[in-house]
Amino acid sequence: METLKTHVVHGGTLRYLKHDSPTTGTPMTLSVFVPPGEGPFPVLIWLSGLTCTEDNFTTKAGAYAAAAEHGIIVVAPDTSPRGEGVADDDAWDLGQGAGFYVDATEAPWAKHFRMESYLTGELIALVDAAFPTTKVRGISGHSMGGHGALTLALNHPELFQSVSAFAPIASPTRCPWGEKALGAYLGDDQRAWARHDAARLIEAGTAHGVYDEILIDQGDADPFLAEQLKPELLVEAAKASGQKITLRMQPGYDHSYFFMASFIADHVAFHARRLKG
Amino acid sequence: METLKTHVVHGGTLRYLKHDSPTTGTPMTLSVFVPPGEGPFPVLIWLSGLTCTEDNFTTKAGAYAAAAEHGIIVVAPDTSPRGEGVADDDAWDLGQGAGFYVDATEAPWAKHFRMESYLTGELIALVDAAFPTTKVRGISGHSMGGHGALTLALNHPELFQSVSAFAPIASPTRCPWGEKALGAYLGDDQRAWARHDAARLIEAGTAHGVYDEILIDQGDADPFLAEQLKPELLVEAAKASGQKITLRMQPGYDHSYFFMASFIADHVAFHARRLKG
């Protein structure tokens, strides 16, 4: 991995990094915060939402005070492959910046859009090789990244010990953003979509018993709440399967990084309790 | 003032605002954070650095957790007038985004670049009229904005009860950024520059006895430290006049918002102790 920039923040070291990914066939970018003190440290992977790069969370979420306090490495990857030779769409909710954390099977996306394999098969190993990690990790994210955190944690329970989300797309098979993206990346056969739907995975008991609790924060003034996010589907699914979900409806909060910044310390502490036990 | 956007953050309310300024003859933008709870609240005015709008500090500094905790209103104005009819320069360190918190006397700047009068004569009154303030206020800022905070506090001690700065341009009459900007805005006669030089003001005993302490944080890995910022000139000036300055050289920190985010809570607490006594 090539270090593009380094900053000291809250006593730790933040790096912006770039590497050539054999999985996506493109350069990929990310940021990694290493807290002060003696390692090794557990890892929190953060997945961002539509249109974001690794920079949005890194500069706006204010996560590193809590990460320094708890001794957690924080990894924020980009949300998709990018570049001139990479397929894209004029819309902001498909293509570059909108990878949805799946491995696309349909043209023109299948060539590069392999975010599930990139994250679970490549990035985690790269981070463990390059940084002083305990190889114990949690995952969180926002909106499309909340969907990614939940579905990757449920489908890969051997990789993660904790999971939380901010304003996740709870059931992409049942909202316009998800239907559009999963249709484009995975095709019209909706049987291929189910394993990328957190509510359906939880309802089916996927990874049952692995995560003692899933923490979800959701602003009740989020303009995407009713049509796109639908956290009530997670609560209903959790009731059906016995998964414990704590959904905190936060009064007045919207979909912005100001919402995330307000509660990120709670999430870092939630993961720290589970990753440092 | 027209509200452009509102966000709830850390339990308080953040507004992006716009108003027509008779002082600059342009629309001016700012953000105002009002903490949760019963007012009235004291005010901290934040002045940003070169190239910034009101948005950089608002989204990246992570100031509102501490402002909510201490019950402080935080006001972040833009760094200059802007717009198609406003003079500008191709360089990033002159013109729009680089107002240097002075009232320009030279063409083509004198028409709109009146940031000292705008802030001290117009903005403070507007904020006091529109928000539940105690009319007790402090001022802080970064780089060019640190220069602005120090010089406005020293020249207008009736308006402020506390002052601090991050990586301020300590002596604009003795560094390339300052010489260029003061020469352009105020002309070649350097006698007009002196009241916009914090180190010279402190050396002359300006506002002596008003501020019990001035807190300054400076990263020792800041690339602008030796040529542009020169905080040692403040320390020398303070020794000469008896002003107490606490200069904290922060090891490894640079000139970025990651540096400010790391210590902004200390500054908010510093101001709160002086504004809420």
Side-chain angles (χ1 to χ4, degrees), chain A residues 6-11 14 16 58-60 252-254 256 258 261-262, chain B residues 6-11 14 16 58-60 252-254 256 258 261-262:
Chain A
T6 301
H7 301 278
V8 175
V9 56
H10 288 290
L14 174 69
Y16 284 85
T58 304
T59 57
K60 295 183 177 180
Y253 286 86
D254 59 27
S256 71
F258 296 112
S262 299
Chain B
T6 301
H7 301 279
V8 174
V9 57
H10 288 291
L14 174 69
Y16 285 85
T58 304
T59 57
K60 294 183 177 180
Y253 286 86
D254 59 25
S256 70
F258 296 113
S262 300

Side-chain angles (χ1 to χ4, degrees), chain B residues 14-95:
Chain B
L14 174 69
R15 289 181 179 81
Y16 285 85
L17 301 153
K18 186 175 183 176
H19 67 103
D20 288 323
S21 166
T23 311
T24 66
T26 66
M28 291 296 292
T29 54
L30 65 148
S31 79
V32 176
F33 172 79
V34 178
E38 290 291 311
F41 307 101
V43 176
L44 177 61
I45 294 178
W46 174 271
L47 303 183
S48 290
L50 287 165
T51 77
C52 289
T53 68
E54 74 284 2
D55 197 46
N56 304 68
F57 174 82
T58 304
T59 57
K60 294 183 177 180
Y64 303 126
E69 179 193 341
H70 292 285
I72 304 280
I73 288 175
V74 182
V75 177
D78 199 353
T79 57
S80 81
R82 296 178 192 269
E84 282 194 14
V86 177
D88 201 5
D89 189 278
D90 287 342
W92 56 271
D93 55 1
L94 191 68

Side-chain angles (χ1 to χ4, degrees), chain B residues 19 21-24 45 103 114-128 137 152 156 158-160:
Chain B
H19 67 103
S21 166
T23 311
T24 66
I45 294 178
D103 287 357
R114 304 190 65 232
M115 288 301 289
E116 180 177 5
S117 289
Y118 167 67
L119 289 164
T120 59
E122 181 179 348
L123 182 70
I124 283 174
L126 262 181
V127 167
D128 283 342
R137 63 189 79 79
L152 294 186
H156 302 274
E158 73 286 2
L159 295 178
F160 304 103

Side-chain angles (χ1 to χ4, degrees), chain A residues 6-31:
Chain A
T6 301
H7 301 278
V8 175
V9 56
H10 288 290
T13 304
L14 174 69
R15 288 181 180 83
Y16 284 85
L17 301 154
K18 186 175 182 175
H19 68 103
D20 288 323
S21 166
T23 311
T24 66
T26 67
M28 292 294 293
T29 54
L30 65 150
S31 80

Side-chain angles (χ1 to χ4, degrees), chain A residues 198-212:
Chain A
R200 294 198 192 278
L201 289 171
I202 289 171
E203 189 174 15
T206 311
H208 187 74
V210 173
Y211 304 107
D212 69 313

